[in-house]
Amino acid sequence: GAEEERNETEHGQKTAAKNLKNGIFWHGGSVYDAWFSCASNQVAQVLLTLPYSFSQMGMLSGIILQLFYGIMGSWTAYLISVLYVEYRTRKEKENVSFKNHVIQWFEVLDGLLGPTWKALGLAFNCTFLLFGSVIQLIACASNIYYINDKFDKRTWTYIFGACCATTVFIPSFHNYRIWSFLGLGMTTYTAWYLTIAALIHGQDPGVIHSGPKKLDLYFTGATNILYTFGGHAVTVEIMHAMWKPQKFKYIYLLATLYVFTLTLPSASAMYWAFGDQLLTHSNAFSLLPRTGWRDAAVILMLIHQFITFGFACTPLYFVWEKVVRMHDTKSIFKRALTRLPVVVPIWFLAIVFPFFGPINSAVGALLVSFTVYIIPAMAHMLTYRSASARLNAAEKPPVFLRSWTAMYIVNAFVVVWVFVVGFGLGGWASVTNFIRQVDTFGLFAKCYQCPPPVAAKHH
């Protein structure tokens, strides 16, 4: 089994040689796999909504907040990894084996802080992953429409819902190696396509850059950026798929630094070229002329969204399997059948709220703020509040923050900042914006932000 190999590294190396052919594409547990998983999982369709966020908050704020939330996101991913290692070390001292069991974040919270925290972690994480999957479906429909508008976006959502349901057959995160690798290639291509296409297009005649103009739009944009760097709801599952989870600590930061090279140039160039037009075009593809390059970017993003759907859904599948006692079943087919009920509500929600862009901010403010920033920081403060816990800690504070006090201060700052700015102001702004979309386009909107029919253009 995959899990044994981590404990028995020597045995692992022998098996690794045998499984090399199979292994290169399928069975990954190295530091590089984890890096690819994190980086490709962090930006998918968000890449297409960042120019929209820049138009809401202006260039300077856009750049500063990306750097700020990127570093804050890396910090909380680091905290999650520390807590995971702590939990695992404590459990392995009690001779608990994780041979056929994938450790998840809520179990870490349960083991370190008890059932209340487990319930909190589970509620926020599952809701976030549910909506994360919904967002991928909306994004698929929104993108394909720019290549083929024979069907409206809602019809495309039906089609892609059916395609994405096939992810029930992918057993676990070990099996995503080649996909993460390709996924990162796809977002890299798309980011540079957006950057270069915007620069070649040049500034639109009479382009206006009025952002930031409205407070609610400003904080909606800020929350989308909070969401961008809060892609680590699956951090624990990615770590668990590593042979040596201790090595995870800085991987997230390295992944984020790479992601900056994609998000900053593409959002800045698009905003520079199109300015305020982006306020009503939350999908960056919609403003660029149709070329082979754009079609390629759309197709690559579609494949990537399918992969990200699998990424966001797999932890939900695990939780559901544990609820219905099917997590240890060997039969892939039985597990696939068990998992199907998870896909149905996702499909339904994507059809009800097809608001590409605004939904990212709403999810960011109401769910990501807690799942990814507030809960890990609070959990770390509580886990190490006693002197004995600090003394026996599996991981000591990092080199650049020598003391526990410094860590405590940083964590307290994260909690307060994200609660006030992310959840408070961001929640108010993004929900206001979301309701505005419902009022403008209605629920079950057939074709969200689609250009008017050709006949209307001649007037």
Side-chain angles (χ1 to χ4, degrees):
E3 270 59 355
E4 290 159 307
E5 285 175 46
R6 285 182 214 129
N7 311 337
E8 310 164 23
T9 319
E10 300 79 18
H11 168 71
Q13 278 153 0
K14 278 177 213 152
T15 339
K18 267 186 253 166
N19 294 346
L20 191 67
K21 236 173 37 214
N22 172 18
I24 288 174
F25 293 112
W26 193 243
H27 215 87
S30 71
V31 175
Y32 301 102
D33 291 307
W35 183 83
F36 276 115
S37 290
C38 285
S40 72
N41 202 19
Q42 202 175 81
V43 280
Q45 47 75 39
V46 165
L47 204 54
L48 306 173
T49 61
L50 284 171
Y52 165 67
S53 297
F54 269 46
S55 71
Q56 292 169 325
M57 52 198 314
M59 188 82 85
L60 186 65
S61 291
I63 292 170
I64 291 171
L65 279 173
Q66 272 202 42
L67 297 170
F68 176 69
Y69 280 129
I71 289 162
M72 194 189 272
S74 302
W75 173 254
T76 52
Y78 165 75
L79 296 180
I80 291 173
S81 72
V82 168
L83 293 170
Y84 168 86
V85 171
E86 180 71 34
Y87 168 76
R88 193 154 171 180
T89 313
R90 287 185 193 180
K91 283 288 176 210
E92 280 169 355
K93 276 179 192 158
E94 300 162 22
N95 292 323
V96 178
S97 155
F98 295 109
K99 201 165 127 187
N100 277 333
H101 186 93
V102 176
I103 300 177
Q104 292 188 270
W105 176 228
F106 69 90
E107 291 162 316
V108 174
L109 288 172
D110 188 22
L112 298 175
L113 297 167
T116 317
W117 281 86
K118 173 187 176 177
L120 261 178
L122 201 54
F124 275 111
N125 224 18
C126 289
T127 320
F128 169 43
L129 290 169
L130 182 86
F131 278 99
S133 309
V134 169
I135 286 171
Q136 298 312 322
L137 270 190
I138 296 172
C140 282
S142 178
N143 288 346
I144 187 87
Y145 183 79
Y146 296 113
I147 287 191
N148 179 337
D149 51 13
K150 285 190 189 65
F151 298 129
D152 56 67
K153 289 180 184 176
R154 191 169 69 195
T155 311
W156 280 118
T157 310
Y158 293 131
I159 295 168
F160 276 102
C163 297
C164 287
T166 57
T167 55
V168 295
F169 288 105
I170 300 175
S172 86
F173 278 95
H174 289 289
N175 315 117
Y176 274 108
R177 162 183 279 189
I178 186 76
W179 299 116
S180 302
F181 181 73
L182 291 173
L184 196 59
M186 293 163 189
T187 42
T188 304
Y189 171 85
T190 305
W192 288 107
Y193 157 73
L194 289 174
T195 312
I196 294 163
L199 294 174
I200 290 174
H201 176 91
Q203 282 190 303
D204 248 19
V207 67
I208 306 166
H209 298 90
S210 61
K213 209 161 48 175
K214 278 184 161 162
L215 257 186
D216 61 333
L217 288 182
Y218 185 87
F219 286 108
T220 303
T223 317
N224 189 32
I225 292 177
L226 174 109
Y227 168 83
T228 308
F229 294 100
H232 42 294
V234 279
T235 305
V236 173
E237 287 86 350
I238 292 173
M239 282 181 69
H240 192 86
M242 290 176 70
W243 309 142
K244 294 197 177 133
Q246 292 78 357
K247 289 187 177 171
F248 186 83
K249 282 182 283 190
Y250 301 112
I251 287 177
Y252 202 88
L253 179 64
L254 295 172
T256 301
L257 293 177
Y258 180 75
V259 166
F260 283 150
T261 69
L262 306 182
T263 56
L264 290 166
S266 61
S268 314
M270 284 297 293
Y271 180 55
W272 169 82
F274 296 102
D276 282 7
Q277 264 186 288
L278 283 158
L279 285 168
T280 51
H281 293 80
S282 47
N283 188 336
F285 282 146
S286 60
L287 285 169
L288 292 163
R290 184 171 175 181
T291 59
W293 299 102
R294 189 184 84 167
D295 286 358
V298 172
I299 290 164
L300 291 178
M301 286 308 274
L302 283 173
I303 303 169
H304 190 246
Q305 269 136 19
F306 176 76
I307 298 166
T308 312
F309 182 92
F311 251 94
C313 241
T314 302
L316 285 177
Y317 295 151
F318 290 158
V319 173
W320 179 247
E321 287 168 3
K322 287 172 188 173
V323 170
V324 294
R325 308 278 164 95
M326 291 287 272
H327 189 56
D328 301 329
T329 310
K330 288 279 180 285
S331 152
I332 288 191
F333 193 71
K334 269 189 198 158
R335 282 177 75 174
L337 276 177
T338 310
R339 291 165 165 199
L340 273 178
V342 178
V343 181
V344 179
I346 293 172
W347 205 353
F348 179 70
L349 286 165
I351 292 161
V352 183
F353 302 118
F355 312 129
F356 187 67
I359 193 170
N360 289 8
S361 300
V363 169
L366 307 177
L367 300 169
V368 176
S369 54
F370 287 96
T371 307
V372 169
Y373 298 95
I374 294 174
I375 292 177
M378 301 255 318
H380 189 276
M381 285 153 79
L382 290 171
T383 302
Y384 297 111
R385 64 179 181 272
S386 71
S388 68
R390 292 196 290 274
L391 191 66
N392 301 316
E395 291 280 343
K396 301 284 183 262
V399 187
F400 52 90
L401 281 179
R402 285 283 178 195
S403 71
W404 287 99
T405 317
M407 282 197 87
Y408 197 89
I409 292 167
V410 173
N411 288 343
F413 169 78
V414 170
V415 171
V416 173
W417 176 276
V418 175
F419 188 77
V420 174
V421 178
F423 172 69
L425 295 168
W428 158 75
S430 53
V431 170
T432 311
N433 187 27
F434 194 82
I435 292 168
R436 193 183 302 134
Q437 307 303 317
V438 176
D439 291 345
T440 314
F441 297 94
L443 298 176
F444 296 99
K446 207 166 182 169
C447 214
Y448 176 68
Q449 284 191 349
C450 292
V454 183
K457 284 183 187 162
H458 299 308
H459 299 305

